[in-house]
């Protein structure tokens, strides 16, 4: 079955089943020790609050895309535009997460492509990201056309608490083909 990508609207934050599935995807990433901003001891309530907050910001320009197979969310990505006037052309590419049951199936690439298109459609011409997840840093982002800027040692903690380097990337959407 092929995954479908859709953009969430702000009413999604009130849908318990949707929030629960987003928590499941995030919890899976934490359980696999991916450095995505959360530690192992996070409660489901704190993860629920994270998703509700991100979805509530959709009316401010936040883009939350989910990848679904049938009725199950299997991946997610967030684009958050800069709110300061000197940076309204750029946005942060955040929380690209694909459930471990569906990794290496192209869902991450589909989400990245859809997120770049959504960002461009929303008037953004530049995206940036940081990543401490080794397999994304070492090859995937560059394969997707992101430019590596550099790394900061011991910048973030993995869910197990061990500090790891974080690498920064950017992607010019002005150069992207339609």
């Amino acid at each position: 079955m092929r995954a479908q990508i859709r953009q969430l609207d702000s009413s999604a934050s009130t849908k318990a089943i949707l929030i629960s599935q987003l928590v499941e995807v995030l919890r899976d990433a934490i359980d696999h020790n991916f450095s995505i901003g959360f530690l192992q001891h996070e409660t489901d309530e704190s993860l629920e609050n994270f998703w509700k907050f991100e979805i509530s910001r959709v009316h401010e320009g936040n883009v939350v895309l989910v990848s679904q197979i049938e009725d199950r969310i299997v991946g997610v990505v967030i684009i958050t535009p800069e709110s300061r006037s000197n940076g309204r052309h750029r946005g942060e590419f955040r929380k690209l997460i694909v459930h471990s049951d569906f990794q290496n199936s192209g869902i991450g690439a589909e989400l990245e492509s859809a997120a770049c298109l959504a960002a461009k459609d929303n008037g953004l011409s530049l995206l940036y990201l940081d990543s401490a997840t080794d397999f994304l840093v070492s090859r995937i982002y560059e394969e997707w056309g992101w430019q590596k800027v550099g790394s900061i040692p011991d910048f973030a903690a993995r869910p197990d608490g061990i500090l790891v380097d974080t690498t920064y990337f950017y992607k010019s959407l002005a150069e992207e083909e339609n």
Side-chain angles (χ1 to χ4, degrees):
M1 170 107 338
R2 184 159 166 78
Q4 300 294 315
I5 295 176
R6 70 179 178 104
Q7 187 168 328
L8 300 182
D9 61 36
S10 57
S11 70
S13 66
T14 62
K15 297 178 181 160
I17 187 72
L18 181 97
I19 297 297
S20 130
Q21 288 185 25
L22 287 166
V23 167
E24 179 186 338
V25 170
L26 189 50
R27 175 67 63 200
D28 178 71
I30 293 167
D31 290 347
H32 283 84
N33 209 31
F34 296 138
S35 180
I36 53 170
F38 297 93
L39 299 174
Q40 289 172 343
H41 69 273
E42 299 288 339
T43 65
D44 283 353
E45 181 181 12
S46 72
L47 301 182
E48 287 172 13
N49 289 337
F50 168 78
W51 287 118
K52 288 177 182 178
F53 175 74
E54 293 299 332
I55 294 167
S56 76
R57 294 175 57 201
V58 166
H59 72 280
E60 299 169 10
N62 226 26
V63 174
V64 181
L65 297 174
V66 294
S67 178
Q68 290 182 271
I69 296 179
E70 296 177 359
D71 289 332
R72 180 179 178 192
I73 293 176
V74 298
V76 63
V77 66
I78 302 168
I79 299 289
T80 301
E82 175 60 56
S83 61
R84 295 173 290 189
S85 61
N86 74 335
R88 291 198 180 124
H89 65 287
R90 71 176 181 258
E92 185 176 5
F93 181 93
R94 306 173 43 234
K95 302 290 182 262
L96 174 63
I97 308 169
V98 176
H99 193 283
S100 62
D101 291 345
F102 297 91
Q103 289 181 2
N104 299 312
S105 65
I107 290 171
E110 290 172 359
L111 280 166
E112 188 272 348
S113 179
C116 289
L117 183 59
K120 193 171 184 177
D121 287 348
N122 287 339
L124 302 180
S125 60
L126 180 71
L127 291 176
Y128 66 95
L129 67 84
D130 65 89
S131 182
T133 303
D134 291 338
F135 72 91
L136 291 172
V137 169
S138 64
R139 70 181 219 307
I140 298 296
Y141 284 126
E142 289 176 304
E143 286 177 15
W144 292 342
W146 291 80
Q147 302 298 310
K148 189 184 296 188
V149 177
S151 296
I152 300 173
D154 295 339
F155 186 79
R158 295 186 319 210
D160 63 9
I162 295 182
L163 295 177
V164 293
D165 299 353
T166 295
T167 303
Y168 288 83
F169 295 85
Y170 74 92
K171 187 173 194 179
S172 174
L173 301 178
E175 299 168 3
E176 292 282 295
E177 292 181 33
N178 288 331

